[in-house]
Amino acid sequence: MGKADFSPIADTTRRAEIVALLRRAILTGQLEPGQKLNELRISEQMRVSRAPLREAMRELVQEGILTSIPYAGTFVIDVTAKDIDDAYSFNKVMDEFAIEQTWPLRDQRFFDELDRRHETVKQATRALDTTRQIETALQLHGLIYEWADNSVLLETWQRLTSRLQMYFALHQHARNEPVPAEDVHETYVQLLKGKDMLAAQRHAREHIGLDFEELIAYARSLEQRTSKGGRADRASPARSGPGGS
């Protein structure tokens, strides 16, 4: 079972900081898939009241990385191999379409922003900052969605990113390393700057599928642990009282 220790927060009204700390705990594995959040313990460790903590938790429920079960509490979402397969398969189709939509709209501003975001990913990678590396990598991949001039596509990507954050984090756990190689996005960036759209789309699909089978195997191992009752903080409505503490 993962055990998360939280540092105090000076300003108890700063919900964004609470959200960031909870997200970091999830992405670094301190809070594991399926684990129940102990509101009382977290609020005491952060030195915040339970009201802003609950607001932050509701925000993460809306993002899709926490789930609230009536009369049981709030939990980190469970992750199954099918969840990951569904998201990655959809991501491949979305990337291909986003590249197609973005391609004729690229200009120097696009290339400059692509380079800037790529550099932030490399900085986070060199710092071995798992959470920051995942966030900046998603920002890098998100540029084609922002540039595509398609509001539905962008909204769909934004809804998917929270799930992808968690899956990317699991991917790092599966590899048993805090961050991927620093040069993992080099080809992706160069192709987005190039003249061969089909090559860029093909590489995007391959990039999403990198070590995919390893990730699926890891997700299945988590499912097996769950089926054997291997996580003590996992609760069902029948066994857990109200309040989630």
Side-chain angles (χ1 to χ4, degrees):
M1 181 189 72
K3 183 179 183 298
D5 293 319
F6 296 95
S7 300
I9 293 177
D11 184 354
T12 57
T13 65
R14 296 177 65 183
R15 183 179 70 179
E17 190 171 352
I18 302 174
V19 169
L21 286 173
L22 290 174
R23 184 184 288 110
R24 179 173 290 271
I26 293 168
L27 297 185
T28 57
Q30 291 178 289
L31 292 171
E32 297 179 337
Q35 184 174 338
K36 182 180 180 180
L37 274 65
N38 187 319
E39 287 185 18
L40 178 60
R41 186 173 68 190
I42 294 172
S43 64
E44 288 176 347
Q45 289 175 345
M46 290 185 180
R47 297 180 187 172
V48 299
S49 68
R50 294 174 74 170
L53 173 60
R54 285 174 176 167
E55 289 178 3
M57 289 164 59
R58 280 195 291 270
E59 183 171 328
L60 292 176
V61 168
Q62 291 175 344
E63 286 187 13
I65 60 175
L66 292 180
T67 183
S68 180
I69 301 175
Y71 307 109
T74 303
F75 300 78
V76 181
I77 60 166
D78 273 314
V79 177
T80 69
K82 187 178 186 307
D83 292 334
I84 295 170
D85 190 21
D86 288 349
Y88 276 48
S89 298
F90 189 41
N91 192 185
K92 288 180 182 180
V93 175
M94 287 178 61
D95 265 19
E96 185 170 346
F97 181 63
I99 290 171
E100 179 183 331
Q101 295 292 296
T102 295
W103 204 258
L105 304 176
R106 297 173 305 155
D107 56 19
Q108 191 58 48
R109 293 174 305 146
F110 175 85
F111 299 139
D112 290 346
E113 181 63 14
L114 188 65
D115 285 337
R116 188 193 69 78
R117 295 192 189 194
H118 189 203
E119 180 57 32
T120 63
V121 178
K122 291 191 285 187
Q123 289 173 358
T125 302
R126 289 192 290 269
L128 299 181
D129 186 336
T130 302
T131 305
R132 183 64 180 153
Q133 195 280 334
I134 292 170
E135 290 172 347
T136 54
L138 282 167
Q139 288 165 7
L140 174 64
H141 287 285
L143 183 60
I144 56 175
Y145 293 90
E146 296 169 23
W147 218 265
D149 194 26
N150 185 314
S151 60
V152 175
L153 181 65
L154 179 58
E155 288 169 9
T156 305
W157 165 255
Q158 290 170 338
R159 290 180 61 186
L160 183 62
T161 50
S162 292
R163 290 263 178 170
L164 290 177
Q165 279 186 322
M166 189 170 213
Y167 301 158
F168 284 10
L170 285 176
H171 215 153
Q172 299 313 117
H173 293 313
R175 292 170 175 155
N176 196 27
E177 58 185 11
V179 291
E182 186 177 334
D183 64 354
V184 71
H185 292 100
E186 293 290 343
T187 303
Y188 175 79
V189 169
Q190 291 306 313
L191 286 172
L192 283 180
K193 291 179 177 180
K195 297 181 179 180
D196 190 340
M197 186 186 74
L198 293 179
Q201 291 174 317
R202 182 170 57 252
H203 179 78
R205 291 193 300 271
E206 293 170 353
H207 182 77
I208 292 169
L210 187 65
D211 297 327
F212 178 73
E213 291 304 321
E214 185 179 26
L215 172 59
I216 289 295
Y218 184 74
R220 287 185 178 132
S221 74
L222 293 179
E223 291 181 65
Q224 290 173 357
R225 283 173 54 191
T226 302
S227 66
K228 294 177 181 177
R231 193 170 289 120
D233 271 356
R234 196 178 289 274
S236 67
R239 290 180 294 155
S240 177
S245 58

